[in-house]
Amino acid sequence: MSQAKVLFLGYGDIAQRAAPLMVAAGWHVVGACRNPDRKPTMSGVELVAADANNERELSALLAREFDAVVVTLTPSDYSREGYHQGYVVPCRHLQHLLHQLANPPRVLYISSTGVYGHRNGEWVDENSPTKPDSDSGEMLLQAEQVIQGSPAAVSILRCSGIYGPGRERLQQQLREGSAVITPAWTNRIHSDDVAGFIAFLLENPAHNAPVYLVTDDEPLLQADAYQRMATRLGVSIDNLKRTDQVGPRGSKRLSNKLMRATGYVLKHPTL
């Protein structure tokens, strides 16, 4: 039996965490990004230079006949056009090329719960309406719809707020006292669990729902989340500015029932 092959299209933090899990499971792993020489090398991972916005380079990659492609893209900048170029355009190229393959690979597309526009603390699951109220959310949803139009078996992984090593901006704001507390509900997922769930789905292809919410067990009011983080940092949130306005990320409580029903066990079930 030939060795299973997975392509990580985009080789940032999440891909770098998932790759060794797939190597350990016996897969041949290829990580594709613009500047592989700037990425950490890892035993069992083949790094290649490729631009997801270049259809010719993508075509050459896909000719290698992967069993699965994991798409972890980033915006070129945080404008509407940056999200369009970073997500929608590569998905159009990928969708076009997948239509040309006799046996398209399975696709895991890493998206965001920013595609939901809820603002009143509602419970949200995979069947909730997607009505993003931000440019980034609109572009993320458009990219999802493009890739779902391919002939591949596609699962969209909508991740809540990812935290973990290298994602310390909020911690810095709490230390500086510049964070602002809103009345919003917030949702978190550790980067190791995003990577862990990617690996779990690749190893268990029977779990192939079109959409999964990737989030932990416990939505928190922002004040409670900040208090929990501040306690670990040894700082106080008593003097932080407070507002009665829900911020641009809205306010919602995310259900992870479908993710949990696969049998995946969270390494970090709560913040």
Side-chain angles (χ1 to χ4, degrees):
M1 190 172 168
S2 61
Q3 185 181 27
K5 294 196 297 185
V6 58
L7 168 66
F8 285 92
L9 189 58
Y11 195 68
D13 176 57
I14 297 300
Q16 289 167 34
R17 291 174 187 278
L21 303 178
M22 299 317 300
V23 171
W27 289 55
H28 179 74
V29 177
V30 176
C33 57
R34 286 192 184 98
N35 299 294
D37 52 324
R38 298 181 189 173
K39 303 294 183 180
T41 56
M42 195 178 299
S43 177
V45 178
E46 177 190 352
L47 295 181
V48 298
D51 184 347
N53 286 56
N54 185 312
E55 192 163 312
R56 188 180 302 145
E57 292 181 9
L58 270 185
S59 179
L61 265 179
L62 293 176
R64 296 179 58 176
E65 298 185 354
F66 292 95
D67 297 276
V69 176
V70 180
V71 186
T72 58
L73 302 171
T74 53
S76 54
D77 62 62
Y78 293 99
S79 66
R80 184 181 182 88
E81 182 59 22
Y83 273 86
H84 184 264
Q85 291 296 325
Y87 292 92
V88 180
V89 172
C91 283
R92 280 189 187 142
H93 291 316
L94 185 57
Q95 188 227 61
H96 182 237
L97 292 168
L98 289 169
H99 274 287
Q100 300 173 22
L101 298 179
N103 296 297
R106 183 183 187 188
V107 174
L108 300 186
Y109 179 76
I110 313 308
S111 186
S112 164
T113 53
V115 299
Y116 298 107
H118 299 74
R119 302 187 64 79
N120 299 309
E122 303 98 323
W123 277 100
V124 169
D125 65 14
E126 289 80 4
N127 298 312
S128 299
T130 48
K131 295 180 180 175
D133 58 0
S134 66
D135 286 343
S136 59
E138 286 181 19
M139 292 299 99
L140 288 165
L141 183 59
Q142 191 174 324
E144 285 186 10
Q145 291 165 343
V146 169
I147 200 65
Q148 283 173 318
S150 81
V154 176
S155 290
I156 306 288
L157 276 56
R158 292 178 180 153
C159 301
S160 61
I162 302 174
Y163 72 100
R167 300 172 188 265
E168 275 99 35
R169 182 165 167 264
L170 179 54
Q171 292 180 35
Q172 188 61 33
Q173 290 176 332
L174 289 171
R175 287 193 186 95
E176 294 169 352
S178 62
V180 177
I181 297 176
T182 79
W185 285 91
T186 68
N187 306 268
R188 299 284 195 281
I189 187 71
H190 196 284
S191 49
D192 282 342
D193 277 313
V194 180
F197 190 54
I198 288 169
F200 179 87
L201 290 180
L202 292 175
E203 279 286 276
N204 296 275
H207 296 297
N208 58 359
V211 177
Y212 289 98
L213 289 192
V214 182
T215 192
D216 71 17
D217 291 343
E218 186 184 32
L220 291 168
L221 285 166
Q222 193 177 69
D224 295 335
Y226 285 10
Q227 181 60 66
R228 201 173 289 189
M229 296 170 76
T231 299
R232 288 196 62 175
L233 294 170
V235 300
S236 172
I237 66 168
D238 293 346
N239 295 320
L240 291 182
K241 180 182 176 183
R242 293 175 184 255
T243 175
D244 58 3
Q245 299 294 312
V246 169
R249 295 181 184 273
S251 176
K252 52 192 174 285
R253 287 175 281 177
L254 300 174
S255 167
N256 67 2
K257 284 182 182 176
L258 187 62
M259 179 177 76
R260 293 289 300 273
T262 65
Y264 178 73
V265 178
L266 286 159
K267 300 175 181 68
H268 303 270
T270 61
L271 179 67

